[in-house]
Amino acid sequence: MIILDTSFLIDFFRGVPETESCIGDEIYAVTTLSYHEIFEGVKRTNARKEGDFFRDFFEETRVLGYSLAAAEASSTIAARLHNRGTPVNALDILIAGIAVAEGAGSIATRDRDFLTIGEVVDLDIRLYTRGR
């Protein structure tokens, strides 16, 4: 299973071609944290049309929550990063914790913080860059 990060979701639905090579035919899921990040933006900009679109998407997609197992995994990731002196965005650590707890093997993202996370936990980080 592959977790689709927030940056991936936004780019995928904007038609960024580089996203297509990240997922193939794999089973995918999203997290409640990506829901939070997307709807924070929707509400900040009052983008009702986008809000309706993403509500439909999240209703039809497997959404993984932040559980005690995810908290255990993300706290381990955060401690390892702290001990290395390489802190990253807290929400990215929580998303990675969900991925580990749910047995996901990969995260598709444009966010380079996940590369740092991938150095301390066994996750395949499928990083893409947008074309110019």
Side-chain angles (χ1 to χ4, degrees):
M1 174 174 51
I2 184 167
I3 302 298
L4 308 180
D5 178 49
T6 310
S7 62
F8 178 91
L9 293 174
I10 292 167
D11 288 345
F12 181 80
F13 290 116
R14 285 184 176 160
V16 173
E18 292 83 0
T19 59
E20 294 175 21
S21 64
C22 287
I23 54 175
D25 294 334
E26 287 186 72
I27 295 171
Y28 64 87
V30 295
T31 69
T32 54
L33 296 163
S34 288
Y35 185 97
H36 164 86
E37 289 180 315
I38 285 175
F39 280 96
E40 177 184 348
V42 165
K43 292 173 183 181
R44 211 175 43 240
T45 60
N46 201 26
R48 290 188 180 124
K49 184 177 177 183
E50 288 82 358
D52 291 343
F53 173 82
F54 276 108
R55 275 187 191 85
D56 289 344
F57 171 76
F58 279 101
E59 285 180 14
E60 298 172 4
T61 303
R62 183 173 179 200
V63 180
L64 306 175
Y66 191 69
S67 63
L68 286 176
E72 182 71 28
S74 64
S75 65
T76 299
I77 294 166
R80 288 177 181 168
L81 291 170
H82 175 79
N83 290 340
R84 293 179 62 184
T86 54
V88 299
N89 179 300
L91 289 177
D92 294 342
I93 293 170
L94 300 179
I95 290 169
I98 293 170
V100 169
E102 294 289 338
S106 305
I107 296 177
T109 185
R110 172 176 33 93
D111 187 338
R112 299 188 69 78
D113 277 350
F114 283 101
L115 289 177
T116 304
I117 292 168
E119 293 173 3
V120 299
V121 69
D122 187 24
L123 283 171
D124 173 32
I125 307 303
R126 297 188 187 175
L127 187 75
Y128 66 94
T129 56
R130 290 188 291 196
R132 303 259 179 227

